[in-house]
Each structure stands twice: as structure tokens, then as C-alpha cells.
Amino acid sequence: MSDVILSVEALNSFYGRAHILFDVTLEARRGEVVALLGRNGAGKSTTMRSIMGLIANRSGSVRFAGHDISRRQPHEIARLGLGYVPEDRRIFTDLTVMENLEVGRQPARTGAPHWTPERLFTLFPNLGDMRDRPGGRMSGGEQQMLTIARTLMGNPSAILLDEPSEGLAPRITEMMAHAIVGLKAEGQTVVLSEQNLHFAALVSDRAYVIEKGRIRYEGAMAALREDEEIRSAYLSL
Amino acid sequence: MGFYVVQCLSGLAQASSLFLVAAGLSIIFGVTRIVNFAHGSFYMVGAYIAVTLAERWAGGFGFWGAVAIAAFGTGLLGVVLEMLVLRRLYRSPELFQLLATFGVVLIVQDAALAIWGPEDLLGPRAPGLEGVVRILGRPFPKYELLLIALGPLVLGLLWLLFNRTRWGTLVRAATQDREMTAALGINQTWLFTSVLFLGSLLAGLGGALQIPREAVNLHMDINIVVEAFVVVVVGGMGSVGGAFLAAVLIGQLQAFGILIFPQITLVIVFLFMAVVLVVRPHGLLGRPQALARAAGNQQEPLLRPATPAGRLVGAALLAVLALLPALAGDYALTVLTEILILTLFAASLHFIMGPGGMISFGHAAYFGLGAYGAGLLVKHFAAGMLPGLVAAPLLAAGGALLFGWFCVRLSGVYLAMLTLAFAQITWSVAFQWQAVTGGDNGILGVWPDGWASPRWVFYYLTLACCAGGVLMLRRIIFSPFGYALRAGRDSPLRADAVGIDVRRIQWLAFTLAGTFAGLGGGLYAYAKGSVFPNLMAIPRSVDALVMVLLGGVQTLTGPVVGAAVFHTLNTEMVRHTEYWRLLLGVSIIVLVLVFPMGIAGAFRRRERAA
């Protein structure tokens, strides 16, 4: 198979004294879309935050694009080309759309798609119509697009996308799925976390299922869709 | 008419100076979330450097060159502060940051004393701007006109910097959400360093520009930092535009206030701040602070009642304290008496800071009110000690009841600033109301009754009151009232939802803390034999904060340990060296860096790990 760009091995994370992740192991290959599925509180966001270095209390090996990033600071990880889109969007509400994009801007990177505001506005047409609007005066769907666009401004070679469909209207969810498929077409590696199996199935090649901080399943997305037992054990409400 | 115009103009000139300093403070707070006490010290250093250089280099270039170099040099000093101290503290509780910057204040004070000496220094006039112009027939200094123009100019430049440059965009982003900014690949280390440079540069510029207007002295630092805090809080923390608006309003208030109420000029500004904060709790142009998203958010450790072993240690400590008069000499007993009083004072502050979650910068007000409660009875009614010791906590309780009503409406830094404002108001009343309080001369002859005058008797009296007070505060912490107080601290919303009236509980706690501080103040008055306004001054409030923080906010033994360590350090240092502030400042910084959880907190942690 093609080369592995992100590999996580035996990742353990803690909030204070609470042990949240237990030996999480997963990987993503260049150009593929990988879904991390699980219920609320299963450990999806914690996995992403730990990979990104946002949880200081962690152990295990995390390698990205040939670097050991398990002890790096978040900004160093981002500069190596790993983008992160948080679940709660975290738009800078005082900054305009263009200024939000400016914060994310990093130099072009070889081997990764090069993004400019203009190119991003073709991916997310709504944003192009509100360049000078403050982030605080945008709808949830618009903010969701802006947060992805902002991360892409760093020209990442892979992005961690935490629950991109959460809390969005069906029409916007559909646009989001289109955007992710568009990213994949650009050759962008994407790791996304989802509770929504349907959404994940639309865009992903492979899937991991996480439950109570442990990876319970790993396989092709298509295989997971067929696997009634796994779905009902770990994913249904 | 001309008179009022000129008065208004000098208010504007004053506003510009204030704005420069306050803008720097506001910018630093906005990004680092650190309330930088040392900002006033940078202002002072800027003024000293400018005076020194301007004297050496005569002429037009000399003066302006001196101002420019002073500003730049002060900016560099800010960089040093950031790299050596603040950088290590971004994840510490905000009080520790505050304490560390206060340590810097002490160090700079002594450094300035060593370099420039205790005398006031007079700077040269600005070349070309020595004269006056006539405005509606009244003379007005040309230099002041320059200052008036400078305020809006700097405001405009800052606006451009923050809204038209990548640096400004990044700073605004980091102000709102540090973690997200980092996750987007922004190295905030240099961002913070550069912000400290800019903020300190503005403070240094403000100080340097003062040299033609006023003498440079060693008291400039605290005076200006308090004024700048008021401006920043009134304008809204982190809002540069708000700081400008507030500076203009306060400049006018001072210019005209002095005509109408010359007796209470000190009070007017703080009253204004109190009114603004009650009406707009986040300042004129401020917005509610988003919770600073830092990676270091940690939960408060749980307070637990003493274990049997802990009780034993406590009882042993009491026994030792009770036996000491047999062994210790008079001097040692005097120092011990003071430590006991300070322990009660610290414990009372700890009560609202730890379990209450309310930071007070002005707790000395209640200590002082207690002392005056005793002193005034002696002065006006020739009352004995026992009525004095009853009046002390009562007067303090009255003050705390009144001020607390306002304070509990706010939270965080705003609450802290309001407590400081009330302390300053109380201080100015004591200072300026000569007829009743004796003003600066204080009240003398506040001695214990005959039976209590031997050192050891007074020591036992103090031990009984202070140990009793501390134990009572502990008892309250583990009563239903204490649980409600802590619930309100941890989650006001949830506490509200289960039917706790959080404000009322906090108000009551504030009053209780004031009462016990007042008892301490009353004892202190009799121990010293006198009462002076400086009992309520800012340094005294800071002493209390240092004691609580040294001990550790979230430990019950903290205030006891903190008071003992602090007072011993303080007494020993004053005895042995002229530069005790320097030593104290360095010790505070080292302690903060080594024990981020306080001394008692560090021991408890070790105990648990073992």
C-alpha cells in the first residue's frame, strides 16, 4: 500500500488523574480519508487533541511525516504540516473571515496542496461573499466552513477533522461531505471523527471504531457498513 | 471661560499620559492574561533613564533622543521580564503571576534606589516647547499641547498596528484563543515577548515624557500603576479604545474634581470606577472575558478536614506556642505576637480567596478599619482595650458589609480591582479626615489595659483570639455554609440551580472575612500602640496576598505557613540589609517559580506522591 503519513501507537492520555485513552493505535496513509467513529464521550476528540499535542499528559508514540511528534508543542506539530479542525469550531469571533484565514496562513509546502483564500472560496463559495464579516456574526454552518478553510491555509499535508457534521443542518452537512470529497480529490489526507455513520460512509475509505478510550474495530468503511454486530455494539444509540 | 478651557486642556494632557501607560498595561493583559504590577515600575524606569540621558546630552536631539532611548530600553526590560519570569508562569494560577510581577516591583524599587538615589530628580524642559501659549487670555504650556496631540496619535498608530498588520491579527487571535492559535502553527513565545516589548515601551515612553512635568522619584511606580489599573478596568480590560475613553474621562474628572472637592480628590476617581463597574461590570468598552483557553486549566484541589495526624500536629503547634513565653525573650515574643496577628489576617483573606474564589487586592481596608475601630475609641472616648477589641471587628464588619455588597456583583480581576478601589477610598478617608482620624499623624497611645500590658499576657491574649479565629474559619469552611460557598466558586450556575443564593453567600463570606481581619487589626493596634493610615495602604494588602499565596491558596495550613515565613523573612531582611525589598522580591519570584502551588501545597503534594 501507499506510505503511512500518520501513525499512532499505544497512545495513552489523561485529564488530571482520569485515564481517558488506552493504547490507541491507528494510522493514515497519504491521500486517504480515515474515519474515527464512536459515541459521545468515546474518546474521539481526546484522540485528536492528543495527536495535536493539546493534551500535555500523554504517552505513546505518534509519528507524522517521518517525525516523532509525541513530545512536540502544538505549534511545532502544525508547522510540520498536520492541520487540526476542532469540534467546537473555535472561530476568532472578533476577526473577520479574511483575518481568520490570515491567522492560519503558513508557507507553501512541497507534497501538499497549496491553498489561497481565492481557491478556498471556490471550495466554500459562501465564505467568498462575506470576507469582511466578523466570525462572531456567522451561522454555525458558515463557521464550520471557515474553521476548515482556516486550517487549510496552513497548507497541511494531513488534517484532523473533529466531528465536521456536528450540529449542522442537513443541507450544510451535504455541502460539507462534498467539500471533504473535494479535498480527497486534491490528494489531501484527512482523519475525521464522527458519530454519524452515514456521513462518514459518504466520504471515508477506512474506519476505526473507538469505545471508552479503546479502539474496538479497524477495517474498510464498506466492511463496517455490513457489520451489523459492530455497529449495534459500538455505534447505535 | 478661559479658565475652564485651560482646565479642560490640562485634563486632556493628563489623559494622554495616562493613556500611554494604560494602553500598554491593557495590551499585555489582553494577550498574556497577566495583570502586570511591574508596569508602573517600567514607567518609573523610563522616567529615570530619560532624566539621566537628557541631562547628559543637551539640546533638541538630546532631549528627544533621551526619551526615545528610555522608551526603547524599557521595552527591552519588558522582554527580559517575559523571558526570565513570565514565560515560566503562563500556566500558573493568575495570582502567582501577579505575585511574581509584584516581586519585580520590589526589585526595581531597590535597583532604582541604588542607581539613582533617594532624592527627587528634576528633568530639563523640552527644547523648543519651554514657553506658554495664550488660550482665551490664559497661559498654557506648549509641552502640554504636544501631549494632548500624542494621545490620539498613539491610539491611531496602535489601531493600525492591530488591524492592518499580520502581527496585530495574530495578537488579536491569541487574545481570544491561545490554544487554537497554537494549533494553527503560531509560536506564541515570540508573540508574547513582542507584546511585552510593546507594552513596556509604552510605559517607558509615558514615564520619559513626564520628566518636564514632574520630579522623578521612587514613588512613581505604585501611584501610576494604580491609576493605570483604574483606567484599564474602567475602559474594559484588553480594550485599547476603552482605555483611551477612560483616560479622557478620568483626566477631566481629576482636572475639575480638584476645583469642586479638593479634599477628596483621591476618592473621586475610585468612586467613579466603582460606579462604572457596578453599572457595567466589564468596563465601558469591555466584554465578558472568554475563559482563557490555556492548556493548563487545572481543577482546584479538594479541601479536606484535618486527618487525626494533622489534628495532632495542630495541637502540638498550639502547645508549643503556649509554652513559648517561658523560653522566649521579649523581642521574640513581640515578633511572635505579630506573626499570630498576621496569621489571622492571612487566614481571613484566604477564606474568601480559597473557598470563596474571590481575590481581594484591598483586604488591608478591613485590617485597618479594625485598627481604627480600636484607635478611635481610645482617641475620642478614652475607652479601654476590651471595648476597643469589640469595636475593631464591628467597624470592619460594617465596612465589609457595605463594600462587599458591591464587590460580589463582580468576579475575577474586576472584583479584585473594586476591592482595591474601596481600600483606597478607606485609606484616603483615614488620610484626609484630619479632625477625626488625625490624618497622617495617626492615633498614638493605643496601649493595652494595665493587666494585659506585660508582653506575655498580651501574647496569650493574641494567641487566644488568633488561634480561635483561625479555627473558627476552618470550622466554617466545613460547615454547610462553607460547602455552599465552594459550590458557588466552582460553578455559580449549578449552585444557583440547586437553590443556593450565591451572591448572598459570597456577601456573607466577604463580611466574615472582613470581621476577622478587623479583629486582627484591633490586636495589631494595641500591639503597636498606634494606628496609621498606611495600615490600609496597598503594600499592606499585598503583604496579605503574598502570605496567602506563599502558603498556597488551596490549602488550609497555607495562611499559617505563609504568614510565618513571610513575617520572618521580612523582619530578618529589614534587620540585616538596606536592600530588603530587593531580597524580598527575589525570594518571592524564586518561591513562585519553585513552588507553583505554594509552600504548604508543595508539601501536601509530596506527601501524596510518597
Side-chain angles (χ1 to χ4, degrees):
Chain A
M1 256 323 253
S2 53
D3 55 335
V4 170
I5 183 165
L6 173 71
S7 81
V8 176
E9 248 174 83
L11 180 65
N12 286 270
S13 289
F14 304 81
Y15 282 126
R17 285 188 216 165
H19 195 165
I20 307 293
L21 295 185
F22 300 85
D23 296 325
V24 166
T25 297
L26 53 86
E27 63 179 34
R29 299 173 196 130
R30 239 175 241 286
E32 94 178 325
V33 176
V34 179
L36 180 61
L37 293 157
R39 295 191 184 111
N40 240 348
K44 303 185 297 294
S45 294
T46 307
T47 305
M48 298 213 156
R49 291 174 54 79
S50 304
I51 295 173
M52 205 56 207
L54 295 169
I55 292 174
N57 198 351
R58 62 190 195 272
S59 70
S61 146
V62 184
R63 295 190 62 81
F64 173 71
H67 302 272
D68 175 8
I69 58 168
S70 57
R71 302 250 53 93
R72 297 284 189 103
Q73 294 289 315
H75 74 266
E76 297 172 320
I77 296 174
R79 285 184 178 192
L80 287 172
L82 184 58
Y84 167 66
V85 179
E87 171 186 26
D88 42 358
R89 301 179 190 135
R90 310 272 287 265
I91 287 301
F92 302 114
T93 48
D94 294 347
L95 273 56
T96 62
V97 167
M98 287 304 278
E99 285 173 332
N100 265 285
L101 295 180
E102 175 64 22
V103 178
R105 183 167 64 82
Q106 293 286 333
R109 193 182 312 279
T110 46
H114 182 57
W115 296 98
T116 60
E118 294 314 318
R119 283 196 64 211
L120 286 165
F121 294 151
T122 53
L123 190 65
F124 302 110
N126 293 19
L127 296 181
D129 300 335
M130 48 178 82
R131 298 170 193 223
D132 293 320
R133 185 175 296 182
R137 293 204 284 116
M138 298 168 74
S139 73
E142 290 158 358
Q143 287 192 346
Q144 184 65 46
M145 293 174 198
L146 179 57
T147 183
I148 296 176
R150 182 178 64 182
T151 299
L152 290 173
M153 281 298 286
N155 301 312
S157 12
I159 60 174
L160 305 174
L161 202 52
D162 201 354
E163 298 225 28
S165 79
E166 191 195 22
L168 297 183
R171 193 177 58 84
I172 310 285
T173 311
E174 204 175 303
M175 284 174 65
M176 195 57 66
H178 276 295
I180 295 172
V181 171
L183 289 178
K184 184 176 157 61
E186 292 270 353
Q188 189 88 61
T189 312
V190 178
V191 178
L192 60 91
S193 79
E194 262 307 327
Q195 301 190 50
N196 181 341
L197 176 66
H198 176 68
F199 180 88
L202 282 178
V203 298
S204 325
D205 305 312
R206 282 193 312 118
Y208 292 89
V209 175
I210 186 168
E211 168 73 13
K212 293 187 178 156
R214 288 187 165 86
I215 297 285
R216 303 291 187 170
Y217 174 88
E218 174 192 353
M221 193 70 227
L224 176 63
R225 293 194 76 175
E226 304 306 317
D227 194 332
E228 182 70 36
E229 199 176 316
I230 292 286
R231 269 170 38 211
S232 64
Y234 299 122
L235 295 176
S236 58
L237 295 174
Chain B
M1 186 60 208
F3 174 74
Y4 291 106
V5 172
V6 164
Q7 203 65 22
C8 170
L9 285 176
S10 36
L12 286 178
Q14 182 62 27
S16 277
S17 309
L18 259 180
F19 168 67
L20 286 185
V21 186
L25 189 66
S26 195
I27 292 168
I28 292 175
F29 172 81
V31 178
T32 63
R33 289 297 153 90
I34 288 183
V35 177
N36 182 17
F37 248 116
H39 201 68
S41 310
F42 291 160
Y43 169 89
M44 179 173 78
V45 169
Y48 269 116
I49 297 179
V51 160
T52 313
L53 295 182
E55 294 219 321
R56 222 158 272 175
W57 311 331
F61 170 76
F63 179 84
W64 297 111
V67 168
I69 291 185
F72 189 77
T74 313
L76 289 183
L77 212 59
V79 170
V80 172
L81 169 70
E82 201 275 340
M83 291 173 62
L84 288 185
V85 182
L86 300 186
R87 185 170 289 182
R88 292 159 217 277
L89 294 175
Y90 289 131
R91 290 179 179 195
S92 305
E94 63 181 0
L95 277 168
F96 278 81
Q97 304 165 339
L98 201 76
L99 194 58
T101 63
F102 190 77
V104 175
V105 171
L106 295 173
I107 294 173
V108 172
Q109 265 178 358
D110 266 1
L113 174 66
I115 300 172
W116 288 289
E119 281 85 35
D120 286 12
L121 299 183
L122 284 169
R125 301 260 175 129
L129 296 172
E130 295 98 338
V132 295
V133 288
R134 297 218 152 247
I135 293 173
L136 297 177
R138 303 252 167 191
F140 188 74
K142 287 182 189 164
Y143 186 75
E144 305 270 291
L145 284 178
L146 174 87
L147 287 183
I148 293 177
L150 205 61
L153 181 72
V154 170
L155 177 66
L157 287 176
L158 287 175
W159 188 87
L160 286 176
L161 185 63
F162 281 106
N163 291 285
R164 290 288 178 267
T165 66
R166 174 168 168 87
W167 182 84
T169 308
L170 295 183
V171 166
R172 284 190 294 140
T175 300
Q176 192 179 352
D177 190 338
R178 279 191 224 170
E179 190 184 83
M180 194 59 230
T181 312
L184 289 169
I186 307 304
N187 181 0
Q188 291 173 71
T189 316
W190 71 264
L191 205 58
F192 285 17
T193 313
S194 57
V195 164
L196 254 289
F197 176 76
L198 176 66
S200 309
L201 180 140
L202 286 171
L205 181 64
L209 287 172
Q210 288 304 301
I211 60 173
R213 302 180 79 211
E214 55 179 317
V216 179
N217 61 56
L218 292 169
H219 306 292
M220 296 173 85
D221 53 352
I222 290 290
N223 292 341
I224 193 76
V225 84
V226 171
E227 274 192 60
F229 271 142
V230 173
V231 170
V232 168
V233 164
V234 167
M237 307 277 309
S239 161
V240 173
F244 186 77
L245 181 62
V248 169
L249 287 175
I250 287 173
Q252 293 305 319
L253 208 60
Q254 285 176 329
F256 288 100
I258 200 158
L259 303 177
I260 306 165
F261 313 102
Q263 287 304 305
I264 55 164
T265 45
L266 291 167
V267 180
I268 294 177
V269 172
F270 284 104
L271 272 181
F272 175 62
M273 173 167 111
V275 171
V276 168
L277 285 184
V278 168
V279 180
R280 288 191 60 92
H282 299 285
L284 293 173
L285 298 187
R287 269 169 294 177
Q289 287 296 337
L291 274 178
R293 298 240 203 192
N297 277 345
Q298 41 199 345
Q299 281 176 324
E300 310 283 12
L302 208 56
L303 295 174
R304 293 174 198 285
T307 54
R311 275 170 211 273
L312 221 59
V313 172
L317 179 67
L318 268 183
V320 171
L321 285 174
L323 288 174
L324 272 177
L327 309 166
D330 267 5
Y331 174 74
L333 273 188
T334 309
V335 174
L336 273 170
T337 307
E338 285 170 16
I339 290 184
L340 287 174
I341 294 170
L342 290 180
T343 304
L344 180 62
F345 181 35
S348 70
L349 177 61
H350 168 265
F351 181 70
I352 44 174
M353 271 174 65
M358 295 178 278
I359 301 165
S360 170
F361 283 2
H363 204 53
Y366 313 104
F367 191 73
L369 277 176
Y372 272 98
L376 291 174
L377 271 196
V378 172
K379 181 178 161 105
H380 296 286
F381 303 99
M385 183 179 71
L386 290 181
L389 283 183
V390 174
L394 282 183
L395 186 63
L401 198 67
L402 176 65
F403 298 151
W405 187 85
F406 293 96
C407 292
V408 298
R409 261 139 244 276
L410 305 177
S411 61
V413 177
Y414 290 96
L415 185 153
M417 293 316 297
L418 196 58
T419 57
L420 176 66
F422 284 127
Q424 284 298 93
I425 291 172
T426 321
W427 174 81
S428 5
V429 170
F431 189 78
Q432 291 182 329
W433 200 6
Q434 291 269 351
V436 174
T437 63
D440 202 16
N441 298 324
I443 301 171
L444 301 175
V446 190
W447 294 113
D449 291 347
W451 61 268
S453 58
R455 283 267 164 243
W456 65 271
V457 180
F458 193 74
Y459 172 82
Y460 276 124
L461 178 70
T462 310
L463 180 62
C465 290
C466 294
V470 170
L471 288 174
M472 203 154 9
L473 283 171
R474 276 192 79 120
R475 181 73 198 81
I476 295 172
I477 289 174
F478 294 106
S479 71
F481 175 81
Y483 295 138
L485 185 62
R486 280 192 271 161
R489 171 197 71 188
D490 291 340
S491 174
L493 217 59
R494 277 173 241 169
D496 232 16
V498 294
I500 296 172
D501 187 343
V502 175
R503 264 189 197 168
R504 177 180 295 256
I505 296 266
Q506 287 181 331
W507 186 25
L508 199 54
F510 197 94
T511 308
L512 264 174
T515 311
F516 281 102
L519 177 60
L523 288 165
Y524 196 76
Y526 288 107
K528 289 286 184 185
S530 56
V531 181
F532 291 103
N534 68 6
L535 280 182
M536 308 186 185
I538 295 170
R540 174 76 47 174
S541 289
V542 173
D543 284 355
L545 278 173
V546 173
M547 288 185 272
V548 171
L549 293 171
L550 274 185
V553 181
Q554 296 304 347
T555 62
L556 288 169
T557 34
V560 180
V561 177
V565 171
F566 175 79
H567 195 65
T568 314
L569 274 180
N570 209 345
T571 325
E572 284 306 299
M573 283 175 187
V574 175
R575 252 179 5 148
H576 292 296
T577 166
E578 188 187 342
Y579 293 111
W580 60 272
R581 283 188 210 87
L582 182 83
L583 273 178
L584 183 64
V586 171
S587 329
I588 289 177
I589 292 176
V590 169
L591 283 169
V592 166
L593 291 179
V594 176
F595 298 113
M597 302 296 290
I599 298 174
F603 275 106
R604 202 173 56 164
R605 187 165 264 215
R606 195 154 305 163
E607 210 171 85
R608 229 183 255 162

